[in-house]
Amino acid sequence: MTPFDPPPLRPAGPASDFDGLEPAFTAAGLAVPVPPLAPGQDCAVALARFGRQPDLPALPVVDGDGLVAGLLERSSLLPGGGPNRGETLSGRPVSSLMDASPLLVEGATPLPEIGRRLARLKPAALVTGFLVVEGGRYLGVGTVTVLMARSAEQTELRARQLEEARRQAERAIRAKTAFLANMSHEIRTPLTAMMGFAELLEQEVLGPHAIPLYREYARDIAESGRHLMELVNDLLDLSKADADRLELADGVVDVVRVAIGTARLLAERAARHGVRIATDVPLDLPPLRADERKLRQMLLNLLSNAVKFTPADGVMTLSARVAADGTLWLSVHDTGIGMTGEELAKALEPWGQIDSALARAQVGTGLGLPLTKRLIELHGGLLDVVSCRDQGTTMSLVFPAERVGRG
């Protein structure tokens, strides 16, 4: 073990035990307690120590109060290495040859900052080393060799911590997905029965209601059940997407049929809000290689979102086109409230909802747009959004060219 070997690290355990090692990755963890010299000490004494310890590049010089006075470099005593050098230095104080302004580094300084200070303030310290202090009082000597070794250890440690954190996150996501899958099954079973009975009551299959208002109540129950079922499905799909377990059932899709069918499906809901849906879908669109169910789900999410944020007497337009680069654009444009950049970022986050009077008046969970973004990315495409406050929004599903025209 050389005089400048750093204090040993204890063996690294699991990532959860790493926090206790953090002080080792500061200047204090590099400090080797080399016995210092006094400023008035004879240079011949220092020369003798250098002779006994050939690995020492320099010796610290500290006064009686423990404050750093300087750093005595080996080269200042042995410029030529002559055998009679000790005779010429005899009686000469260490303070006459020491560097009175060595690089001082506080013990709490992190490793990257030490490297920056070496290069910026005292390049010579790359050879001679630097002094680690606490409040100006000497703690030990640090060298570039030790700094590099500890920096490499820190990098390896951080990599192990990140890997363990990644594994823990994956385990948490898998557990969440399994929980949601089990819960969604438990919710769906009674919910399906409730919706079925509500629809029977709404349609008065067993005879007319004595009180007509009961039929409206049954319709509200069925509608609420359908909304809850959509929420459960969206939540499960989003959880699967987070865990990279959402898979595509690719097939050849007739885009015209799916787009127009989806618009018709939402027409009644839009009409109840006083909103009209227009379509601008060319009948000669090429087929698309995609998951038809997920394509319909994405369009429903975009159209539902547009209905929610478009005031009465507004217009929504579902359009489609093939761009010059071969990509297929399916766009939903509305004349609604629009969004600022900050509101858009919030809307694309799970559970994120825009805080406005119109938004608060609508039922929603904030899962539709994030899920749509995940689904189009799963197809290798992107969700393109152009929005301006009080001027409406255009949201487009952009499918890559390699998925277009594959009949």
Side-chain angles (χ1 to χ4, degrees):
M1 183 171 180
T2 68
F4 279 91
D5 284 334
L9 287 174
R10 62 183 175 85
S16 57
D17 296 332
F18 286 163
D19 290 343
L21 294 178
E22 290 302 322
F25 299 115
T26 63
L30 307 180
V32 178
V34 177
L37 298 167
Q41 209 159 357
D42 197 306
C43 284
V45 175
L47 184 63
R49 284 189 60 185
F50 280 129
R52 292 194 302 270
Q53 296 177 298
D55 293 324
L56 286 174
L59 286 168
V61 182
V62 178
D63 64 18
D65 294 326
L67 298 175
V68 172
L71 186 68
L72 184 64
E73 301 174 14
R74 173 185 288 272
S75 60
S76 65
L77 295 181
L78 300 169
N84 299 321
R85 182 63 174 166
E87 298 176 5
T88 62
L89 295 175
S90 181
R92 192 170 179 178
V94 165
S95 58
S96 64
L97 292 177
M98 71 179 184
D99 176 5
S101 57
L103 179 64
L104 303 182
V105 179
E106 282 290 332
T109 306
L111 300 188
E113 179 60 23
I114 298 173
R116 286 191 288 269
R117 291 187 187 181
L118 284 170
R120 186 176 71 252
L121 302 177
K122 194 87 172 181
L126 294 170
V127 177
T128 61
F130 52 91
L131 298 181
V132 182
V133 298
E134 184 174 348
R137 298 186 182 280
Y138 170 73
L139 289 181
V141 178
T143 66
V144 173
T145 302
V146 175
L147 173 62
M148 293 174 63
R150 278 289 161 84
S151 296
E153 292 171 359
Q154 185 181 34
T155 300
E156 180 181 356
L157 182 62
R158 290 286 184 243
R160 293 170 60 187
Q161 287 177 312
L162 289 173
E163 176 63 21
E164 178 61 22
R166 183 188 64 79
R167 287 196 294 265
Q168 289 180 357
E170 289 179 348
R171 287 194 292 268
I173 290 174
R174 285 195 296 269
K176 180 186 71 173
T177 302
F179 169 77
L180 290 174
N182 292 332
M183 288 303 298
S184 66
H185 174 73
E186 297 298 327
I187 292 173
R188 280 192 183 104
T189 301
L191 186 58
T192 301
M194 291 167 56
M195 291 167 57
F197 288 131
E199 290 171 356
L200 288 176
L201 293 173
E202 180 187 359
Q203 297 168 10
E204 298 179 317
V205 173
L206 301 179
H209 296 296
I211 302 177
L213 191 59
Y214 287 173
R215 185 158 56 89
E216 296 182 19
Y217 290 162
R219 183 174 62 247
D220 291 340
I221 293 172
E223 181 65 27
S224 298
R226 283 189 288 270
H227 172 71
L228 183 56
M229 186 70 80
E230 291 174 1
L231 170 60
V232 170
N233 291 334
D234 284 350
L235 187 59
L236 185 59
D237 283 346
L238 190 61
S239 179
K240 287 181 178 179
D242 285 338
D244 293 327
R245 294 178 57 186
L246 198 57
E247 298 179 353
L248 295 179
D250 275 347
V252 179
V253 179
D254 183 347
V255 180
V256 177
R257 176 180 57 81
V258 173
I260 294 178
T262 304
R264 286 175 179 165
L265 189 62
L266 263 291
E268 182 181 349
R269 183 189 301 181
R272 289 200 300 267
H273 289 80
V275 178
R276 182 170 61 89
I277 299 180
T279 57
D280 181 16
V281 180
L283 298 180
D284 59 349
L285 279 179
L288 176 70
R289 182 171 56 84
D291 185 319
E292 182 171 334
R293 188 185 72 82
K294 290 181 173 57
L295 172 59
R296 185 176 288 106
Q297 184 178 8
M298 288 186 284
L299 290 175
L300 282 172
N301 285 340
L302 294 187
L303 288 169
S304 299
N305 192 74
V307 168
K308 187 189 307 181
F309 294 104
T310 301
D313 298 326
V315 178
M316 295 162 37
T317 303
L318 173 60
S319 61
R321 65 184 176 89
V322 177
D325 60 358
T327 57
L328 175 66
W329 289 61
L330 294 173
S331 304
V332 175
H333 173 74
D334 64 61
T335 57
I337 60 176
M339 293 178 285
T340 64
E342 182 179 348
E343 289 171 337
L344 175 58
K346 183 177 181 180
L348 291 175
E349 294 177 356
W351 310 105
Q353 292 182 309
I354 301 172
D355 187 19
S356 72
L358 184 59
R360 287 191 295 270
Q362 306 297 331
V363 176
T365 60
L367 292 178
L369 288 184
L371 179 57
T372 299
K373 184 174 182 293
R374 301 285 179 86
L375 291 177
I376 187 62
E377 290 173 351
L378 194 62
H379 283 82
L382 60 89
L383 177 64
D384 182 83
V385 183
V386 177
S387 185
C388 186
R389 193 67 168 150
D390 299 323
Q391 295 185 26
T393 301
T394 300
M395 294 196 175
S396 302
L397 302 173
V398 185
F399 289 89
E402 56 266 24
R403 284 185 170 271
V404 181
R406 300 297 177 90

